[in-house]
């Protein structure tokens, strides 16, 4: 009889453990669904704000907080024109960025050449010098010879040290579709990449654009105008912080493209999630 009671007790303990774990998984799944719904709501609210303004007065950057049910979202948005486009930027802009990130001026043009060669159609067929360079490097692929579909493809470009690529990624994009950068919103590292931007001139630009009383058009004169613009892009990068109100927090970085007309007002180009302080994972990339 004692053996039977012991066996029944063990079965009850196993069942209780199973029920507890199942309840925890279900609760976690529910929180995750709620967090994703709040992230989507944050994207929709941002699109509503941006499409409610005409093109000539649409903000290129901004931030807002909103309450959605019991949850809260905090959103910052920034035009992708504040970054350097890997597909359209001229070589001197790429070289300026790489040099500003600490690369020797003698090496930076070579790294920029590899980026330009990756996105450019092969000129000599099988005799293309960049193809030969990749074969000699021992990798099992050749340059794409077409536009970058995503900035992370920069990791595949041979001839550039990984540390340089890591430093470049926060300042580059493939979504702005412009060969210039928005000098009102660009990071100092991007402004420093503009042709002829000496350190003293950079400090002057940063000081003037921080003054709300200054006309942004005066910045064009300070930068020299080459590679600089005040215009935004129809692509925006959103940084979203979510609090579900039930103890779960999440983050997302989303790139959207505003569309003209049609049934859909926008398209998601890139979406990265990072929940509860995690390192973040890819949710989806546009091809």
């Amino acid at each position: 009889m004692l053996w039977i009671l012991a066996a029944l007790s063990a079965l009850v303990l196993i069942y209780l453990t199973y029920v507890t774990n199942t309840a925890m998984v279900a609760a976690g799944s529910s929180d995750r669904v709620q967090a994703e719904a709040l992230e989507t709501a944050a994207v929709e609210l941002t699109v509503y704000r941006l499409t409610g303004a005409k093109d000539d007065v649409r903000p290129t950057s901004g931030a807002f907080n909103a309450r959605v049910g019991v949850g809260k979202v905090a959103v910052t948005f920034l035009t992708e024109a504040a970054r350097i486009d890997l597909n359209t930027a001229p070589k001197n802009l790429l070289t300026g960025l790489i040099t500003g990130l600490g690369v020797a001026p003698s090496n930076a043009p070579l790294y920029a050449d590899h980026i330009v060669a990756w996105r450019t159609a092969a000129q000599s067929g099988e005799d293309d010098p960049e193809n030969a360079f990749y074969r000699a490097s021992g990798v099992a692929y050749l340059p794409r010879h077409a536009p970058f579909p995503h900035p992370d493809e920069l990791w595949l470009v041979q001839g550039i040290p990984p540390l340089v690529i890591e430093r470049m990624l926060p300042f580059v994009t493939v979504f702005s579709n412009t060969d210039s950068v928005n000098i009102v919103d660009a990071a100092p590292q991007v402004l420093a990449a503009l042709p002829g931007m000496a350190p003293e001139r950079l400090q002057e630009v940063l000081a003037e654009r921080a003054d709300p009383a200054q006309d942004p058009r005066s910045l064009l004169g300070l930068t020299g105008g080459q590679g600089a613009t005040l215009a935004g892009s129809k692509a925006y990068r959103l940084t979203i912080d979510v609090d579900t109100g039930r103890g779960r927090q999440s983050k997302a970085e989303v790139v959207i493209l505003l569309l003209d007309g049609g049934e859909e007002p926008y398209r998601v180009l890139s979406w990265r999630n990072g929940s509860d302080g995690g390192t973040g994972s890819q949710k989806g990339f546009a091809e």
Side-chain angles (χ1 to χ4, degrees), residues 30-31 33-42 45 64-75 240-250:
S30 175
D31 286 347
V33 169
Q34 184 183 8
E36 291 180 354
L38 286 169
E39 291 169 3
T40 301
L45 286 170
F64 66 91
N65 299 324
R67 181 174 291 278
V68 183
V70 297
K72 295 183 292 184
V73 296
V75 181
I240 303 169
D241 289 283
V242 164
D243 184 342
T244 64
R246 299 171 59 182
R248 183 182 180 90
Q249 296 180 338
S250 69

Side-chain angles (χ1 to χ4, degrees), residues 16-34 246 248:
L16 288 175
T17 301
Y18 168 77
V19 170
T20 300
N21 289 339
T22 300
M24 292 176 63
V25 170
S29 177
S30 175
D31 286 347
R32 186 163 53 250
V33 169
Q34 184 183 8
R246 299 171 59 182
R248 183 182 180 90

Side-chain angles (χ1 to χ4, degrees), residues 183-185 197 204-210 214-225 228 230:
I183 55 176
V184 175
D185 299 299
M197 182 62 73
E204 189 177 356
V205 171
L206 292 175
E208 182 151 335
R209 79 172 185 177
Q214 291 290 339
D215 186 339
R217 289 175 292 184
S218 65
L219 296 176
L220 289 175
L222 285 177
T223 60
L230 300 179

Side-chain angles (χ1 to χ4, degrees), residues 65-285:
N65 299 324
R67 181 174 291 278
V68 183
V70 297
K72 295 183 292 184
V73 296
V75 181
T76 60
F77 58 89
L78 182 68
T79 175
E80 279 293 274
R83 295 185 173 217
I84 294 174
D85 196 303
L86 291 173
N87 290 324
T88 55
K91 177 186 172 180
N92 62 351
L93 193 56
L94 293 168
T95 301
L97 175 64
I98 296 169
T99 302
L101 296 176
V103 173
S106 59
N107 291 332
L110 300 177
Y111 300 163
D113 280 335
H114 288 307
I115 295 173
V116 173
W118 180 275
R119 73 191 192 192
T120 304
Q123 301 298 317
S124 310
E126 290 298 318
D127 297 327
D128 183 85
E130 197 70 6
N131 289 350
F133 172 72
Y134 275 67
R135 293 190 185 98
S137 299
V139 294
Y141 58 88
L142 296 177
R144 179 181 287 275
H145 291 304
F148 288 82
H150 193 276
D152 282 351
E153 192 170 85
L154 197 58
W155 288 109
L156 298 179
V157 178
Q158 293 297 297
I160 306 177
L163 181 58
V164 175
I165 294 175
E166 184 177 354
R167 290 176 177 175
M168 289 181 65
L169 284 174
F171 309 111
V172 297
T173 182
V174 298
F175 304 125
S176 73
N177 196 31
T178 177
D179 58 1
S180 55
V181 295
N182 180 294
I183 55 176
V184 175
D185 299 299
Q189 294 87 337
V190 175
L191 292 177
L194 294 171
M197 182 62 73
E200 299 79 10
R201 180 67 61 84
L202 175 61
Q203 293 306 315
E204 189 177 356
V205 171
L206 292 175
E208 182 151 335
R209 79 172 185 177
D211 184 355
Q214 291 290 339
D215 186 339
R217 289 175 292 184
S218 65
L219 296 176
L220 289 175
L222 285 177
T223 60
Q226 186 178 356
T229 183
L230 300 179
S233 164
K234 290 187 178 297
Y236 284 81
R237 186 174 298 262
L238 284 53
T239 302
I240 303 169
D241 289 283
V242 164
D243 184 342
T244 64
R246 299 171 59 182
R248 183 182 180 90
Q249 296 180 338
S250 69
K251 289 180 174 291
E253 184 180 76
V254 185
V255 181
I256 61 171
L257 177 67
L258 302 181
L259 302 177
D260 294 322
E263 296 182 358
E264 297 294 332
Y266 73 98
R267 178 186 305 148
V268 173
L269 302 178
S270 174
W271 191 310
R272 286 183 182 273
N273 276 351
S275 300
D276 296 331
T279 57
S281 61
Q282 173 183 325
K283 181 176 179 178
F285 289 147

